[in-house]
């Protein structure tokens, strides 16, 4: 049915099947070879019974509100759609099916908790098994298990694991938000006696948090809640619920922590069953996540397994990733296998993790550990530690008295199962590889929430994701994943409007405002994620609701920043003038900012890298970062005005537009000279000024020229860090300095991206010299923010981007910026309208450009010689002569 609507979806997640709330929104893509429809017709069945057909008058096909009566728990729904136009209706689409979860008001199960004896402390606690038995009759038509937990859990029915999701119920701000999971366990339920088990561990709820391994503060008691609904062929129903009749035992998992690792002793027999504790926890209402589940998305054999000495092996999986290893040969009974995970091996070939140790001034370092252990029962067990997760490329395996067979060791790659929407390839294998390692780096940090690294901290820092979100939307469908995370950002917002540095915030800074870390909360470029990320999602997917649900949080954040600008001044300005100058009320300089972060480190005469934070932390903390703060205040305030316009908030739009102009003018007064130079005069400052529209049009050429001067002064090396790197190359290209952009992109000496490749990187590093010339590792080797450079490959090398003002890719620009080193580039983007394909190839002095435009999309094609053409649905192909000067 090529001319039927396709790719029908609802805005919700699910594991074995899609699970919704009572009123999901409907989306589909328009027919691939039909005229633009004037409307659509929808049909729906609920539990097999047809609902009246619905006619939608407009051609809308994204996020259509549920057009029928609200759905109740457990309903099985199927719907389809066809387009209606002047020439008549299209064929019907295929049916899309989903089920309604068990809605919060219908849960009758009680919260149950394990009977714990003693407390070895966070990071060392065992997992417990909560158990019940029930009798089932023959003739089961369907069986659904609905479950959730305060902690990480696995569910089993008669020994068969329920579903494929990992690390359930996921990472949330547990004081406000908790998601449940639904499992199809029909095949596991047997006539006669049945056993239900929930294995429960600390997880994100009660385990360790961050680089300093502090305990999460969500709660002190674990909990689980479950309902098993059985429907028989005769229509009768049976429900088994968690309650006081369940029992609790310690499991064979004697230690389970998401950060440190898991120990399983397969010899351990069941302890004496004890009654569970009932209703010992407080939990928020149960909801259903909009995000895809975390899954094992790939299994990779070890590329090499080298024996260093008796009982010690190093397995290299060839790729830094997030997950764990599986061992299916644990040796004779009593054999202990110890697995340490890491990203680097030293010159001696042994695993080293010292670069991931955490230090604070005046304190002993906290040694980094990721360690799993298994003790064999001699029954051919497979060890797969599902109550932890690690970032690693290498595994150091210790085992005494038994061999290790290389084929028995595999890597399980574990992260949110995102749907790919973007591809890129070109004639330069290095750039293809750079794209690949940036992609891997994001995936390794997309474990239910967007983390900074999968090793040392594993925190969902707001700054990291606001930097990478425009790249993430080019690679994957991250709408549900991002909406889920943004709910935690809102949940953790401080009473005064500040946004927590990371969310979910297990440290719960909003309740500990006297904590030192609270003083370091509310930074420009970090808290601004609450404005930047929803706006990026709206532009990419056309989801107006993502703006509406974050509006209040956006306003509270921007108003706090504006108030801080008015009421707090940096010491340097106080020294300049006891009374604030008129423009200073819009200069955001009097509160803490992380700043540009991870700019290339200077080196001493002996080659030692100079870290300003460790060298003089007080000076770094107190430095004037008002240029950065004010620049981001302008971006967030002007974006908030755009959001207000979309939401029909006319007065708010006018007010924030005027305020943004005042902030911009204040930035120009304080930080820009009449010659177009920034007072800080750094690469990052010019990138920020140009990309955020802070420089007047007449001074933009001078500012761009100064940026190039600074790059040349650094021997044609970049000098940007965390916040500006993703915009560096686009800014250069858009200012007419594409040659400099490509020189930076193709640079092989540090600091550069290809330096990472030449040092064997398989993911993007936190530090520009994550592995230095001596082969020593520094900081995290999987930190995706600098991987935002690959957006340039899509938007400029390939040349595909949204047109200004476009939403959901309804209007695109194709303006490739080729380079003599490249002979072709090709890429696709799966937009809400359909697949957009762009390809260009050079032959001699000619360039042939091909664009495939989906229905409902218009395209403006800009050739390297500056000529333009417009095109609509279908394939566009032209050959043009390449300008003499590229």
């Amino acid at each position: 049915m090529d001319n039927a609507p396709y790719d029908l979806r609802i805005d919700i997640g699910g594991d074995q099947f899609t699970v919704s709330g009572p009123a999901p929104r409907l989306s589909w893509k328009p027919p691939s070879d039909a005229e633009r429809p004037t409307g659509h017709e929808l049909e729906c069945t609920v539990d097999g019974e047809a609902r009246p057909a619905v006619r939608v008058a407009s051609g809308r096909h994204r996020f259509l509100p549920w057009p029928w009566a609200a759905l109740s728990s457990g309903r099985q729904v199927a719907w389809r759609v066809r387009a209606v136009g002047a020439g008549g209706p299209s064929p019907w689409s295929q049916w899309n099916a989903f089920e309604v979860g068990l809605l919060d008001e219908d849960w009758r199960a009680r919260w149950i908790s394990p009977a714990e004896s003693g407390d070895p402390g966070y990071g060392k606690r065992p997992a417990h098994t909560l158990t019940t038995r029930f009798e089932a009759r023959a003739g089961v038509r369907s069986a659904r298990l609905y479950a959730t937990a305060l902690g990480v859990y696995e569910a089993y029915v008669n020994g068969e694991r329920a579903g494929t999701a990992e690390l359930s119920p996921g990472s949330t701000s547990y004081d406000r938000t908790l998601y449940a999971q639904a499992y199809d366990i029909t095949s596991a339920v047997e006539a006669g006696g049945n056993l239900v088990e929930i294995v429960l561990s600390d997880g994100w709820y009660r385990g360790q948090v961050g680089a300093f391994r502090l305990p999460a503060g969500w709660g002190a008691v674990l909990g689980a809640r479950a309902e098993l609904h059985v429907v028989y062929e005769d229509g009768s129903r049976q429900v088994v619920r968690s309650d006081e009749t369940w029992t609790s035992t310690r499991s064979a998992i004697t230690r389970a922590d998401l950060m440190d690792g898991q120990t399983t002793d397969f010899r351990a027999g069941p302890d004496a069953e004890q009654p569970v504790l009932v209703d010992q926890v407080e939990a928020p209402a149960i909801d259903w996540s909009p995000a895809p589940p975390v899954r094992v998305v790939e299994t990779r054999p070890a590329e090499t397994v080298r024996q260093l000495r008796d009982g010690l092996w190093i397995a290299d999986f060839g790729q830094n990733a997030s997950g764990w290893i599986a061992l299916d040969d644990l040796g004779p009974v009593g054999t202990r296998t110890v697995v340490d995970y890491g990203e680097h091996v030293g010159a001696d070939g042994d695993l080293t993790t010292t670069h991931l140790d955490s230090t604070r001034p005046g304190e002993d370092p906290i040694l980094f550990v990721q360690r799993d252990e298994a003790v064999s029962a001699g029954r051919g067990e497979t060890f797969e530690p599902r109550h932890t997760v690690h970032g690693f490329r290498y595994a150091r395996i210790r085992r005494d008295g038994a061999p290790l067979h290389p084929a028995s060791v595999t890597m399980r790659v574990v992260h949110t199962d995102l749907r790919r929407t973007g591809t890129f390839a070109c004639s330069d294998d290095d750039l293809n590889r750079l794209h690949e390692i940036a992609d891997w780096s994001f995936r390794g940090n997309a474990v239910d929430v967007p983390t900074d690294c999968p090793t040392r901290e594993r925190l969902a820092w707001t700054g990291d994701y606001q930097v990478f979100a425009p790249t993430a939307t080019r690679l994957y469908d991250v709408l549900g994943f991002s909406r889920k995370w943004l709910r935690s950002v809102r949940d953790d917002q401080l009473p005064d409007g500040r946004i927590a540095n990371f969310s979910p915030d297990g440290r719960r800074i909003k309740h500990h405002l006297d904590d030192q870390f609270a003083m370091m909360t509310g930074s420009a470029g970090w808290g601004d994620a609450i404005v930047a990320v929803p706006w990026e999602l709206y532009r990419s997917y056309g989801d107006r609701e993502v703006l509406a649900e974050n509006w209040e949080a956006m306003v509270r954040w921007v108003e706090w920043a504006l108030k801080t600008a008015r009421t707090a001044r940096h010491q340097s300005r106080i020294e300049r003038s006891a009374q604030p100058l008129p423009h200073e009320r819009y200069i955001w300089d009097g509160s803490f900012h992380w700043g540009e972060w991870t700019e290339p480190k200077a080196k001493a005469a002996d080659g030692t890298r100079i870290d300003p934070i460790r060298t003089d932390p007080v000076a770094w903390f107190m430095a004037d970062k008002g240029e950065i703060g004010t620049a981001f205040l302008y971006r967030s305030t002007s974006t908030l005005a755009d959001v207000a316009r979309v939401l029909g908030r006319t007065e708010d739009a006018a007010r924030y537009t005027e305020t943004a102009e005042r902030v911009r003018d204040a930035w120009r007064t304080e930080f820009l000279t009449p010659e177009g130079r920034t007072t800080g005069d750094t690469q990052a400052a010019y990138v920020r000024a140009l990309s955020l529209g802070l420089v007047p049009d007449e001074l933009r050429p001078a500012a761009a020229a100064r940026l190039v001067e600074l790059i040349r002064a650094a021997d044609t090396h970049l000098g940007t860090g965390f916040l500006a790197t993703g915009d560096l190359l686009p800014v250069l290209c858009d200012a007419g300095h594409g040659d400099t952009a490509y020189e930076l992109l193709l640079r092989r000496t540090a600091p550069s991206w290809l330096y990472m490749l030449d040092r064997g990187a398989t993911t993007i590093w936190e530090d520009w010299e994550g592995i230095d010339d001596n082969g020593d590792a520094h900081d995290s080797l999987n930190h995706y923010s600098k991987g935002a450079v690959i957006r340039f490959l899509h938007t400029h090398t390939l040349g595909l981007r949204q047109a200004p003002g476009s939403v959901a890719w309804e209007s695109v620009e194709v303006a490739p910026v080729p380079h003599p080193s490249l002979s072709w580039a090709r890429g696709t983007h799966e937009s809400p309208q359909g697949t957009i394909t762009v390809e260009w190839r050079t032959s001699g002095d000619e360039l042939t450009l091909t664009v495939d435009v989906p229905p409902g999309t218009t395209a403006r094609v800009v050739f390297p010689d500056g000529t333009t053409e417009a095109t609509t649905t279908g394939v566009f192909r032209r050959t043009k002569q390449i300008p003499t000067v590229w």
Side-chain angles (χ1 to χ4, degrees), residues 11-25:
D11 60 336
I12 207 72
D15 178 17
Q16 297 162 297
F17 49 88
T18 304
V19 185
S20 86
R25 295 180 300 162

Side-chain angles (χ1 to χ4, degrees), residues 513-545:
L513 300 182
D514 57 345
D515 189 290
Q516 180 182 1
F517 199 58
M519 297 171 55
M520 302 172 71
T521 299
S523 170
W526 274 255
D528 296 291
I530 191 59
V531 180
V533 174
W535 183 246
E536 171 62 28
L537 298 177
Y538 168 70
R539 290 191 66 249
S540 294
Y541 304 108
D543 186 0
R544 185 178 177 275
E545 182 63 25

Side-chain angles (χ1 to χ4, degrees), residues 78 114 511:
H511 296 306

